[in-house]
Amino acid sequence: MPLPWRMRTWTLFIATALAARPAWPANPNSAGAAAPYEVQVVLHFADDPRFTRLYKEAVFNQARDHLLALMDGVFRTEVVTEHVLVDRLAVQPLEELSLSHAEAAALQQTGQVYLVTVEYVDGTYRIGSRRYDGPRGLLGPYRRSETPDRQWVPKAVCDAVHRQLALEAEVRPSGRTRDEVYLRFPAGLSLETIERWLPRGTVFQVMRVEEHPDGSRKQSPLPHTVLRLQPPTSPDHQGKRFWTARVVSNMRDPWRSSSRNVRFIALNLPVRTGRLRLRLLDQATGEPAYGATLQVRVGDRGFDQLTDGSLLELDPEGYVTTPPLAGLAYVQILQAGQVAFEFPVPILDEWTEVERRIPVDAQGREKAEFQRLLDYQTRDLRLLHEKLNAAMRHLNSLNEAKRYEEARDACAALLREFRSSGRAVSSRLIELEKLATSLGLQDQPRLRQVSDDAKKLQGRVSDLANLHESLQRTIEKAEAQARADVLIELGKQALDAYEIDDAIDKFKLALIEQPDQPELKQQLEALEETWRVKSRQHRAARELVFEAWAHAELTELEEMVPKVRQAAQTLLRYKDHLSLGRLLHANTEHIVAISELIDELANRGTTEDRQEGEKWADVSETLDNFNQELTGYIDSLTNSGSPDDPARPVQPDAAAAKQPDQDAAPSTPSSQPTSTSPPDGSPPAGEAAEDEEEE
């Protein structure tokens, strides 16, 4: 009896694929050991008597064989039926499945996972699928297809995976124009393979990758920025696997970064022809953005191709619906006849729904751009300070081992890098301040914090230069005083990093190397007195700041704020400006982390995520106000201090005659305190007897 035409077609397709592929690997469920990308396909059948064991095995085997043949040489592929995410499907349908940050981190998934479910609903076989991006911990949108043909299910499973496969490439600015970048694919991919998987015009999502000194990575989508693929522009680029891509973005310069620890990657998106349903909300009120002065243009050929013929009607609820668009929608928002915003939207489904909050303001576009630039400048400065902290710990270890030549060379390399980064930071800051002044935002607290952090970086680079000079003197003269100078500079760097005990140890070692330093000895005693714990309350407040609060999870912050405020008052009473400075720095780190979380929630676009983002914005505002109070506390203590600052040991008398410019301490940023004269050490009036000074 002849087979049905669908089954004949599917059988012929499988036979052709199997004939073309090489011999199977030792593991029959995996292939592509040398391929550059890692993929795991998880196939799950609903609990239904129609899905017998023989049928499930047949579907699994056919889908597996086709996927392995299809992806061999590009993806390291494994097809399985068991996975930890499958267990979640017992309580959450695939379309509702969600993962918290902690749950995603616990999975430790290094590649992409494609979850595919097979159900029988109302006389049809329903195939649902979602992609889980392991390195980024992100779940993609739910996709569904249906077929009434039982024999067509394996093909539908393969199609569900194939439509969502993503290739990753490194993004490098071309240097020729802002609107063009190069994409570099892994060496294991041939040009023919790239052309087969990624036709011209393929759309890519750009990811910003921050690499921290401890080896961890933070990846986040670059907002409102995509790439469109073009073929290699020259034989040289073909040999290096450079492909040209056109940048589609509403950012002035998406690739700006003051830190060398930031890079960009691109992932291709499964775009298609479909409609866009866009809703605009007032950023200030959350109400629908609607009015006579607000207009929307949408097209799929480029921002420069949008004309009044592209205008679409905006209804009173803030919705606009487009005709079918091919792959990528170019959206322009006009206010009072002028282009206020423009951004791309990839079309990923038959209906792509997007919600955007916009400031209904004539300067809304410029203000949004200012906030993005300010966020990136804040993150870049944080990365630079983290890298400098790690580098200083390495220099400390070299110095303790008396490997002065290696320390000098490492210090010189750091100076070259951070002087270059410092110039970039200063240039970006000048532009930010000019933009802030033009928008009336020059008094924004976060801008002041960025300015203070930039000054602190300059001060630390100055300290690094002093350290380099001290190392050079140690090598050239091999004198005890030169070694003491190195230790003094290392102590200053330790103070900058709030490692007070280490700073005290370095100053003590400096006195061991060269005891004839009366001023250093006097100031070391003052620093030890300032750092000495005055009472149990004082110790508890300091431990709360340096341990619990500095390492607190975001979910713990709101509950801990009252205790931390009480601890700040205790530290103020004991004139402990060092611990207050560490508290200010920890608050700033939490504010940056909350800003990143708010950005991630905003990119998701759901109502729950928006409400969650508003809650975190309130927490960030509370910490920002707290920081302003702390700045006042620290100023009140430091302005009343004597010139003999315990946190700023001067050079000894003998060295001062030769190097008078080193008596002054290097400038430090406001996020790390400048010490003052020691407090008198007496407990506040009214303390109980058990609150007397501790030994």
Side-chain angles (χ1 to χ4, degrees):
M1 180 177 180
L3 295 172
W5 72 270
R6 283 185 181 272
M7 189 170 180
R8 291 199 305 273
T9 303
W10 174 242
T11 303
L12 178 61
F13 184 78
I14 287 292
T16 304
L18 292 176
R21 74 181 305 277
W24 294 115
N27 181 359
N29 294 334
S30 64
Y37 303 111
E38 179 182 342
V39 166
Q40 190 176 48
V41 180
V42 182
L43 183 58
H44 175 68
F45 290 86
D47 187 10
D48 191 301
R50 293 176 180 82
F51 300 143
T52 64
R53 181 179 61 83
L54 292 177
Y55 178 72
K56 290 190 289 187
E57 289 180 355
V59 172
F60 176 85
N61 291 334
Q62 293 179 37
R64 176 202 60 194
D65 293 348
H66 176 48
L67 288 171
L68 296 183
L70 174 70
M71 298 189 288
D72 194 21
V74 181
F75 297 93
R76 298 191 299 276
T77 309
E78 182 182 21
V79 184
V80 298
T81 57
E82 295 182 356
H83 193 275
V84 64
L85 290 177
V86 171
D87 300 335
R88 297 286 297 272
L89 298 181
V91 294
Q92 278 184 301
L94 182 59
E95 58 269 30
E96 299 177 7
L97 183 63
S98 62
L99 293 174
S100 66
H101 293 293
E103 291 171 332
L107 289 177
Q108 297 183 343
Q109 191 78 40
T110 59
Q112 300 178 35
V113 178
Y114 294 86
L115 292 168
V116 183
T117 60
V118 181
E119 303 173 280
Y120 187 80
V121 180
D122 296 333
T124 62
Y125 293 89
R126 179 180 297 172
I127 292 83
S129 62
R130 292 185 76 176
R131 183 181 74 185
Y132 172 68
D133 191 338
R136 281 156 283 278
L138 301 176
L139 271 170
Y142 173 75
R143 302 181 183 281
R144 189 181 80 183
S145 62
E146 295 180 349
T147 176
D149 192 337
R150 182 180 179 86
Q151 303 299 329
W152 201 248
V153 171
K155 178 63 169 64
V157 170
C158 296
D159 287 344
V161 176
H162 190 194
R163 284 197 302 268
Q164 302 181 67
L165 287 172
L167 275 64
E168 179 179 311
E170 180 184 358
V171 180
R172 296 186 178 183
S174 68
R176 298 189 298 182
T177 172
R178 165 194 175 278
D179 298 327
E180 182 182 81
V181 295
Y182 293 142
L183 298 181
R184 184 167 188 172
F185 293 91
L189 291 181
S190 65
L191 292 176
E192 294 76 11
T193 300
I194 298 174
E195 291 175 342
R196 175 165 58 89
W197 280 88
L198 304 174
R200 181 175 181 177
T202 297
V203 177
F204 288 83
Q205 170 69 63
V206 182
M207 307 294 293
R208 188 177 195 266
V209 183
E210 299 175 358
E211 297 179 343
H212 295 263
D214 61 1
S216 63
R217 298 198 312 173
K218 170 69 176 178
Q219 303 186 59
S220 56
L222 202 61
H224 309 311
T225 301
V226 298
L227 307 176
R228 298 209 80 160
L229 186 67
Q230 299 175 6
T233 56
S234 68
D236 179 59
H237 290 160
Q238 292 179 3
K240 296 180 180 178
R241 289 180 172 78
F242 280 159
W243 286 61
T244 305
R246 184 163 57 87
V247 181
V248 183
S249 176
N250 68 349
M251 303 176 69
R252 295 180 180 177
D253 186 357
W255 323 113
R256 294 176 62 169
S257 174
S258 303
S259 172
R260 297 184 182 182
N261 291 56
V262 173
R263 63 187 185 91
F264 300 91
I265 61 174
L267 297 170
N268 64 292
L269 296 173
V271 296
R272 52 168 294 176
T273 297
R275 297 174 181 266
L276 172 64
R277 181 171 168 83
L278 173 67
R279 192 183 193 196
L280 301 179
L281 300 176
D282 189 326
Q283 183 173 294
T285 65
E287 297 296 323
Y290 177 73
T293 62
L294 195 64
Q295 296 175 301
V296 181
R297 292 174 179 166
V298 184
D300 57 7
R301 300 178 60 188
F303 292 119
D304 55 349
Q305 300 296 317
L306 297 176
T307 64
D308 288 343
S310 309
L311 285 172
L312 298 175
E313 183 178 356
L314 188 68
D315 69 22
E317 292 299 317
Y319 285 102
V320 62
T321 302
T322 72
L325 302 170
L328 186 63
Y330 297 82
V331 181
Q332 276 186 350
I333 311 298
L334 290 81
Q335 293 184 357
Q338 301 295 322
V339 176
F341 308 95
E342 58 183 22
F343 51 87
V345 178
I347 304 300
L348 303 176
D349 290 295
E350 182 179 358
W351 282 93
T352 298
E353 297 192 7
V354 175
E355 183 177 282
R356 288 285 184 269
R357 287 175 171 261
I358 62 172
V360 183
D361 185 342
Q363 293 182 313
R365 182 181 183 183
E366 290 77 8
K367 289 180 179 178
E369 176 71 8
F370 169 78
Q371 292 298 334
R372 279 199 296 269
L373 294 177
L374 185 61
D375 286 343
Y376 287 138
Q377 185 78 331
T378 301
R379 297 177 189 178
D380 289 347
L381 281 168
R382 183 192 62 184
L383 286 173
L384 289 171
H385 281 295
E386 286 180 356
K387 185 173 183 180
L388 189 53
N389 287 341
M392 290 311 305
R393 287 191 288 270
H394 176 61
L395 288 178
N396 276 341
S397 65
L398 293 176
N399 180 70
E400 290 172 357
K402 299 188 183 302
R403 295 157 59 183
Y404 299 121
E405 290 82 0
E406 294 181 43
R408 178 200 58 191
D409 295 341
C411 192
L414 282 173
L415 272 176
R416 288 192 296 270
E417 176 179 349
F418 278 89
R419 280 172 174 165
S420 173
S421 297
R423 288 191 293 269
V425 165
S426 298
S427 174
R428 304 284 192 267
L429 184 59
I430 290 172
E431 294 180 17
L432 269 176
E433 290 174 340
K434 288 181 179 178
L435 182 59
T437 301
S438 67
L439 298 174
L441 302 175
Q442 63 273 17
D443 295 328
Q444 189 175 101
R446 284 191 62 202
L447 179 61
R448 292 199 300 270
Q449 183 66 50
V450 166
S451 178
D452 290 342
D453 282 349
K455 291 176 182 177
K456 173 183 175 180
L457 182 65
Q458 294 175 353
R460 297 189 70 182
V461 172
S462 177
D463 288 345
L464 194 62
N466 293 335
L467 173 59
H468 181 263
E469 293 175 2
S470 297
L471 285 166
Q472 187 66 32
R473 289 196 303 272
T474 300
I475 295 169
E476 292 174 352
K477 300 178 181 180
E479 295 178 350
Q481 185 58 58
R483 292 193 295 272
D485 292 344
V486 172
L487 290 166
I488 291 171
E489 296 300 334
L490 290 171
K492 292 179 181 180
Q493 291 286 347
L495 282 177
D496 287 337
Y498 296 101
E499 298 173 358
I500 311 301
D501 291 328
D502 187 51
I504 292 174
D505 290 340
K506 291 295 180 294
F507 297 146
K508 286 181 178 179
L509 289 174
L511 286 173
I512 293 174
E513 291 284 356
Q514 173 56 279
D516 187 19
Q517 301 183 86
E519 292 185 18
L520 175 61
K521 183 177 180 181
Q522 178 184 357
Q523 295 199 12
L524 175 59
E525 292 173 352
L527 177 59
E528 288 179 311
E529 177 61 23
T530 301
W531 188 239
R532 182 174 60 83
V533 175
K534 310 301 188 305
S535 70
R536 282 192 288 272
Q537 285 85 348
H538 186 196
R539 180 187 299 278
R542 180 179 290 173
E543 289 177 351
L544 178 64
V545 169
F546 277 80
E547 299 297 332
W549 181 250
H551 303 97
E553 299 290 338
L554 291 183
T555 54
E556 300 173 332
L557 297 182
E558 189 172 9
E559 181 180 350
M560 292 181 66
V561 165
K563 294 181 181 179
V564 175
R565 283 186 175 275
Q566 185 177 359
Q569 293 298 323
T570 300
L571 296 172
L572 179 62
R573 289 200 304 271
Y574 285 103
K575 301 180 181 180
D576 189 352
H577 52 81
L578 297 173
S579 298
L580 287 172
R582 181 65 182 95
L583 175 56
L584 179 69
H585 186 68
N587 285 353
T588 302
E589 291 178 333
H590 293 324
I591 290 172
V592 171
I594 291 173
S595 174
E596 295 174 355
L597 177 59
I598 292 174
D599 289 345
E600 184 176 345
L601 292 171
N603 287 334
R604 295 179 183 175
T606 66
T607 301
E608 294 180 356
D609 289 331
R610 183 175 66 254
Q611 293 173 349
E612 184 74 3
E614 293 171 355
K615 184 194 78 172
W616 284 111
D618 293 338
V619 176
S620 178
E621 183 179 1
T622 299
L623 293 181
D624 203 14
N625 293 335
F626 190 14
N627 268 3
Q628 296 183 48
E629 297 174 18
L630 291 174
T631 302
Y633 296 163
I634 295 171
D635 289 343
S636 69
L637 294 176
T638 57
N639 290 338
S640 63
S642 68
D644 296 329
D645 189 336
R648 295 164 46 192
V650 298
Q651 301 294 336
D653 297 339
K658 293 182 285 186
Q659 299 176 5
D661 58 319
Q662 293 196 13
D663 284 338
S667 61
T668 59
S670 64
S671 61
Q672 293 186 5
T674 301
S675 304
T676 65
S677 60
D680 57 14
S682 60
E687 291 289 339
E690 62 268 21
D691 195 28
E692 294 299 328
E693 294 182 357
E694 293 183 347
E695 290 298 323

